[in-house]
Amino acid sequence: MERDKKYLELLLVFGEILVAIIIIVTVIVSSFQTLIMISGMIKISYPNKSDILELIDMAILLLLALDLLRTVIVGIAERQIPVKNIIEAAMIVIVREMIVNTLMNGSPLYLIYLSISFLMISLAFIFISKFIKD
């Protein structure tokens, strides 16, 4: 029984390390793609709205990937799930959706839903920060 538990823990750590490696490779590739996109925009006198939206979207996704990488690394090191980091990632995702919705002239009702979601997640973050000590 104890032996099976050790194998399971080892398998879990291996899986977390594999996820971290995949995120690192994704961030590196996306960073190069972003640099290429910026250099292409510099050549054009006035970048169009979709290029700017794509650049902002890529930058926010890179931030999200880095935040997830931090969460995985902290989880491996401390052998526990850092809930505050997961909530921060959720906040980044909602802000990204708000920006995309605004730039694409999306539905005002959808923006209200996103705002309510962001408020609820912010309250959860405050609650966890106040009542759960690291």
Side-chain angles (χ1 to χ4, degrees):
M1 184 76 160
E2 190 68 32
R3 185 184 206 188
D4 292 339
K5 185 177 178 182
K6 286 184 180 185
Y7 286 131
L8 187 58
E9 287 178 6
L10 183 63
L11 186 61
L12 182 62
V13 169
F14 177 73
E16 290 171 338
I17 291 171
L18 184 63
V19 167
I21 290 170
I22 290 170
I23 292 173
I24 289 170
V25 169
T26 303
V27 166
I28 291 170
V29 169
S30 297
S31 297
F32 283 121
Q33 183 181 2
T34 303
L35 289 174
I36 291 170
M37 192 182 312
I38 290 172
S39 68
M41 289 175 69
I42 292 172
K43 295 176 184 175
I44 302 173
S45 59
Y46 293 106
N48 60 21
K49 186 177 177 180
S50 65
D51 289 341
I52 293 172
L53 176 62
E54 190 176 338
L55 180 63
I56 291 171
D57 191 40
M58 182 65 71
I60 292 173
L61 286 174
L62 279 170
L63 286 173
L64 183 60
L66 290 172
D67 194 44
L68 289 174
L69 179 61
R70 177 183 62 158
T71 302
V72 169
I73 290 173
V74 168
I76 292 170
E78 296 180 0
R79 297 206 180 269
Q80 65 180 3
I81 298 173
V83 177
K84 286 171 58 173
N85 294 354
I86 294 170
I87 291 175
E88 289 172 357
M91 292 170 87
I92 292 171
V93 168
I94 291 174
V95 168
R96 175 186 172 270
E97 283 296 316
M98 290 172 130
I99 292 170
V100 169
N101 185 58
T102 302
L103 292 176
M104 298 296 282
N105 298 323
S107 166
L109 186 61
Y110 185 61
L111 191 58
I112 291 171
Y113 291 147
L114 290 172
S115 300
I116 292 170
S117 299
F118 188 80
L119 177 65
M120 298 302 287
I121 290 177
S122 298
L123 291 174
F125 185 79
I126 292 168
F127 177 79
I128 285 178
S129 296
K130 185 172 182 160
F131 295 110
I132 297 178
K133 303 297 179 204
D134 288 332

